[in-house]
Amino acid sequence: MSRNWGMTIPFYDRPLSKSQELIAELPELGYTDAWSAEVNGADGFVPLAMAAQWAPGIRLGSAIVPVSTRGPGLLAMSAATLADLAPERFVLGIGASSPAIVERWNAGRFDKPYARTRDTLRFLKKALAGEKVSETYETFEIKGFKLERAPELPPKIVLAALRPRMLHLAAAEADGAITNWLSPDDVRKVRAEIGEGTELIARLFVCVSEDVDRVREMARWMLATYLTVPVYAAFHDWLGRGEVLRPMHEAWQAGDRQAALKAIPDEVVDALIVHGDAATCRARIQEYVDNGLDTPVLAPVPGGEISIEQAVRALAPRGQ
């Protein structure tokens, strides 16, 4: 069993306001981590702030907050606040995100994503260490920013990284890498890029269900939504799935959503979604760990025979 075993918060089936009891239960179930996300639901910081009070002792991380939807100074302030609420327990996960989130939904600019992520990382390391920052980076300029109250111990910073260039940056300058939508076998390829000693974190989508057809039907929608995003398409090209996913991409680009879903092979669904009874799911998650994943972050999804609450308990290390 991995020494780290994370859970995504809030849960898919309830708002944050109704999550206190289940989040508070995570440490006694054996979960070591709680990681937020930030797409179009809850923001990436407030759930962690609440979990800092509801589940003392658990590690808290953002996976991830985009670097282009907030200014660098605001990111530093939010991170410093969480580091104050959960000293030595907060990990700031940042990443480039996607054009849809940055431009269409937040009126920002998705420009030079690698450089913007690198520059934000370098700024945050200085700012969270309490330094006054006046510096011209490739993608922005900072003039005289200094946190009013820097954390006593700066939080670790990890990067969303899908391909070699960003993975190498995460290994060289950050405290870890966060990846997503990969199989246990894919972990080996990602691990080879960052080497040993760099924490590798991945969110794993899990459906506790033995109804294979139902799981695959649900999962195809999730996969099509993600894998047609350019960064994920490029990721899976690099992983070696370019040809097998080509019919899905062609149908999607032609506007035929149903044909795109049908074009995703069963073996791709089964590789990227963890499903089966709880014991089978835990064993599958362990395969990721055995192949080099340090921190699995589970995301139980609806559609199984048991509720999300039951799945959280059944998938726990102490659910065995």
Side-chain angles (χ1 to χ4, degrees):
M1 185 63 67
S2 170
R3 62 184 178 85
N4 297 333
W5 202 259
M7 177 55 61
T8 300
I9 62 170
F11 309 100
Y12 278 97
D13 66 338
R14 69 195 66 196
L16 181 62
S17 60
K18 296 182 179 179
S19 297
Q20 179 175 354
E21 184 177 337
L22 191 51
I23 289 175
E25 194 178 336
L26 293 178
E28 64 189 70
L29 289 171
Y31 289 99
T32 60
D33 292 36
W35 290 77
S36 64
E38 187 171 275
V39 182
N40 61 347
D43 80 294
F45 290 113
V46 173
L48 301 181
M50 301 309 299
Q53 309 306 307
W54 295 341
I58 205 167
R59 187 170 71 149
L60 307 166
S62 58
I64 51 87
V65 291
V67 296
S68 298
T69 55
R70 297 174 177 82
L74 180 56
L75 266 176
M77 288 186 283
S78 297
T81 302
L82 261 296
D84 177 59
L85 287 173
E88 300 185 49
R89 293 193 290 128
F90 171 60
V91 180
L92 174 63
I94 58 172
S97 190
S98 71
I101 291 172
V102 174
E103 296 184 344
R104 294 182 219 162
W105 301 351
N106 285 286
R109 291 184 60 194
F110 191 77
D111 187 32
K112 298 182 177 180
Y114 171 84
R116 179 64 184 245
T117 302
R118 179 202 61 208
D119 294 348
T120 303
L121 169 66
R122 291 174 177 174
F123 162 75
L124 288 170
K125 288 171 72 172
K126 290 185 174 183
L128 291 168
E131 296 181 30
K132 185 175 182 178
V133 183
S134 292
E135 191 162 341
T136 299
Y137 299 90
E138 180 182 343
T139 56
F140 56 81
E141 182 178 6
I142 301 295
K143 297 179 179 180
F145 178 84
K146 189 176 191 300
L147 282 168
E148 180 179 298
R149 183 175 288 106
E152 290 187 15
L153 186 69
K156 290 183 176 182
I157 305 175
V158 295
L159 300 184
L162 298 178
R163 286 181 290 159
R165 196 178 182 205
M166 197 73 84
L167 288 165
H168 296 165
L169 177 65
E173 298 190 33
D175 298 295
I178 301 171
T179 190
N180 195 7
W181 289 113
L182 76 174
S183 74
D185 287 342
D186 297 334
V187 172
R188 292 193 181 98
K189 185 162 187 174
V190 174
R191 171 57 72 188
E193 296 294 332
I194 61 174
E196 299 301 321
T198 296
E199 182 176 6
L200 181 59
I201 303 150
R203 176 167 283 114
L204 307 179
F205 295 92
V206 186
C207 187
V208 182
S209 173
E210 296 179 70
D211 187 339
V212 176
D213 291 339
R214 184 179 177 192
V215 170
R216 288 173 177 165
E217 181 180 5
M218 174 274 299
R220 280 187 166 86
W221 277 108
M222 295 177 65
L223 289 171
T225 301
Y226 269 91
L227 301 190
T228 52
V229 174
V231 291
Y232 281 103
F235 180 43
H236 283 272
D237 281 346
W238 176 63
L239 291 173
R241 294 193 182 91
E243 286 305 312
V244 76
L245 291 175
R246 186 182 303 278
M248 177 202 71
H249 288 297
E250 290 175 349
W252 191 269
Q253 289 167 6
D256 191 338
R257 299 296 188 253
Q258 290 301 321
L261 296 177
K262 291 177 182 177
I264 304 173
D266 288 345
E267 56 266 29
V268 172
V269 177
D270 295 342
L272 302 180
I273 297 282
V274 177
H275 62 93
D277 62 22
T280 299
C281 289
R282 285 198 306 270
R284 181 69 166 171
I285 294 161
Q286 187 61 41
E287 288 182 38
Y288 285 86
V289 174
D290 293 342
N291 287 348
L293 181 64
D294 296 301
T295 304
V297 179
L298 314 189
V301 295
E305 283 86 54
I306 63 176
S307 67
I308 295 292
E309 184 167 324
Q310 290 172 311
V312 169
R313 293 171 178 151
L315 294 168
R318 296 177 192 170
Q320 298 183 69

